[in-house]
Amino acid sequence: MNSVLAARAQMEVSLAFHMVFAALGIGMPVLLIVAEGMWLRTGQLHYRRIAVKWGKATALTFAVGAVSGTALAFELGLLWPRFMAYSGSTIGSAFALEAYAFFVEAIFLGLYIYGWDRLSARVHWLTGFAIALSGLASGVLVVAANAWMQAPVGTPSGDPTAPFRSPAWLHMALHSSLSCYVATSFAVAGVYAVGMLRGRRDAFHKSALTIAFTVATVTAVLQPLSGDISARAMAKYQPLKLAAMEVLLQTGPHAPLTIGGIPDDTGIVHLGLRIPSGLSLLLHHDPAGVVQGLQSFPRAAWPNLIVTHLAFQAMVGFGFAMIGLAALFWWARWKGKHERLALRAAVLASPMGILALEAGWVVTEAGRQPWIIYNIMLTADGVTPVQSVDITFFGFSLLYIMLGVALVVLLRGLAHPRAREYAAGAEHAG
């Protein structure tokens, strides 16, 4: 395994785990805010129990995410020293501000966990908003660094404001933030749907499922709108990536929209469905709108078509599947006669948000290749010259597997009967 391949593989494994940790850290505070708000509004103690448990889950994901993010920081310096030497003074500002957001989140998370009986109910609820906003800020600031890599401005001056002036930042921040809420809320809803299918039909499970699935539905419906914004921005600033996602060969009007299919290295899609003028209509709101194709760019600059296209199709497919299952869930709830159907829809949708999140980031990163900084620095030029990267690949992979296992074990521990008794005790103590 050469250095470029090993370094890329190491980052892929690390980010695949870290994105799940980060998504949970961003999404969970929103759910606990809603749960505690319902307790303040109704006085029903099971809402407080939900908020107590979700607060602990947030703390666990925050702790694991902190370790994961620290490891990633080391990887940037160890694996990509040439890239960091070139861009560190530019993207360093985004990471520095993210560190401030991280510490703010840590402070308010401590206040939230230990302040149930020490702060007034309303003040305690407001600390949840601080957790949610600082967690969101952390994600948005990290995305600023990545957005600069996708659509760089101000190079190579080392301008610390450059990441925030990248034309990719706002639409990427919107799309990635929504994806965190979608992934978290569907995953949480699935946990309580499984519990109800196993006979736990108490108010705790019903309310937790309703809160999580409501947030899931709202954010899943908003996600295609942010995707439309991202696609139109991509057509302007990264037309090659868009052409690879759609496997569009020729530049011209009436560009078709590709659904499904498997492309080959030449750009021919097998078994796919082409909707005439569909892509032009989506991007320009005009079926005769001109869209750039792959053949407008050097063949050596094309990203991997199979990976980019299939990841994009998976992201979109899971996104619309979640909307469809959400509609089925609420229809079954409205009818009042198909509770098991509603619960099964929630369970089926449960992993889809995380899968869509992962697929979306594969599109983002694989679609930019062979560039580490788009049109400025090739990935091969940013990697370390050291030839033993495969050793650290296995070491860091083991670390992230251990972190993933640890998080699963700890979260399952919250569902243990003793954990439920503790939560109930905390509820009555309040």
Side-chain angles (χ1 to χ4, degrees):
M1 195 184 302
N2 62 45
S3 294
V4 176
L5 181 60
R8 288 186 62 189
Q10 185 171 320
M11 294 299 294
E12 287 160 5
V13 171
S14 302
L15 287 169
F17 279 94
H18 182 71
M19 283 186 293
V20 176
F21 304 151
L24 293 172
I26 292 171
M28 284 302 302
V30 173
L31 298 180
L32 66 86
I33 285 172
V34 177
E36 188 171 359
M38 291 299 296
W39 171 58
L40 292 175
R41 181 172 176 269
T42 66
Q44 297 180 28
L45 292 178
H46 66 274
Y47 283 117
R48 173 171 168 143
R49 286 182 57 204
I50 295 170
V52 168
K53 179 163 288 190
W54 286 353
K56 294 177 182 178
T58 302
L60 290 175
T61 58
F62 178 84
V64 173
V67 177
S68 174
T70 301
L72 271 172
F74 279 107
E75 289 181 69
L76 282 174
L78 291 171
L79 300 177
W80 310 100
R82 295 167 175 168
F83 162 73
M84 291 303 294
Y86 181 89
S87 64
S89 58
T90 300
I91 63 175
S93 58
F95 288 119
L97 290 173
E98 190 274 336
Y100 283 106
F102 173 85
F103 286 117
V104 169
E105 184 179 5
I107 291 168
F108 281 97
L109 186 56
L111 290 172
Y112 190 89
I113 296 297
Y114 296 105
W116 277 103
D117 303 315
R118 296 173 176 83
L119 301 173
S120 69
R122 206 162 286 277
V123 170
H124 184 270
W125 184 49
L126 292 176
T127 63
F129 283 87
I131 298 169
L133 291 174
S134 55
L136 175 62
S138 291
V140 168
L141 289 166
V142 169
V143 168
N146 189 273
W148 180 83
M149 296 164 65
Q150 306 287 336
V153 297
T155 57
S157 67
D159 181 359
T161 68
F164 312 108
R165 293 188 289 110
S166 169
W169 180 40
L170 293 181
H171 72 79
M172 284 184 64
L174 174 63
H175 198 64
S176 64
S177 299
L178 281 173
S179 69
C180 293
Y181 298 136
V182 171
T184 300
S185 51
F186 271 110
V188 171
V191 170
Y192 291 96
V194 169
M196 291 182 67
L197 285 170
R198 292 177 176 174
R200 299 170 189 167
R201 304 298 176 92
D202 51 84
F204 179 92
H205 280 77
K206 290 179 180 179
S207 297
L209 173 61
T210 299
I211 291 170
F213 216 85
T214 299
V215 174
T217 302
V218 171
T219 52
V221 170
L222 291 174
Q223 189 69 301
L225 301 178
S226 74
D228 177 67
I229 295 171
S230 293
R232 285 188 279 119
M234 197 178 299
K236 184 175 181 180
Y237 300 109
Q238 287 185 296
L240 177 54
K241 179 189 289 187
L242 181 67
M245 288 159 52
E246 291 291 338
V247 198
L248 178 69
L249 282 175
Q250 297 180 346
T251 299
H254 301 286
L257 180 70
T258 303
I259 299 178
I262 302 174
D264 57 30
D265 291 339
T266 66
I268 304 299
V269 179
H270 304 277
L271 306 176
L273 173 65
R274 297 269 193 177
I275 300 177
S277 303
L279 186 59
S280 292
L281 186 61
L282 285 175
L283 295 177
H284 302 289
H285 300 161
D286 178 3
V290 176
V291 182
Q292 282 187 276
L294 291 164
Q295 293 178 349
S296 297
F297 304 91
R299 180 64 182 84
W302 292 11
N304 187 304
L305 298 183
I306 297 175
V307 172
T308 305
H309 176 71
L310 292 183
F312 176 67
Q313 294 294 311
M315 179 188 69
V316 174
F318 284 128
F320 281 104
M322 286 184 286
I323 294 174
L325 289 168
L328 177 61
F329 175 90
W330 292 114
W331 175 83
R333 273 284 189 95
W334 175 64
K335 285 292 185 180
K337 300 177 182 178
H338 309 285
E339 184 178 42
R340 291 190 69 83
L341 178 62
L343 294 175
R344 287 170 178 165
V347 172
L348 185 59
S350 182
M352 290 185 178
I354 293 175
L355 293 173
L357 172 71
E358 297 281 10
W361 277 104
V362 169
V363 174
T364 300
E365 299 306 302
R368 189 184 67 235
Q369 297 305 314
W371 303 98
I372 191 168
I373 306 174
Y374 190 61
N375 283 337
I376 292 176
M377 178 181 285
L378 292 168
T379 302
D381 294 336
V383 77
T384 177
V386 176
Q387 296 301 310
S388 57
V389 178
D390 51 340
I391 297 175
T392 63
F393 165 70
F394 292 111
F396 275 93
S397 296
L398 179 61
L399 169 65
Y400 279 96
I401 291 172
M402 291 172 60
L403 287 173
V405 171
L407 181 60
V408 170
V409 170
L410 291 170
L411 289 176
R412 283 181 60 84
L414 288 179
H416 191 275
R418 289 184 179 178
R420 289 198 293 270
E421 292 170 6
Y422 180 84
E427 167 191 305
H428 293 301

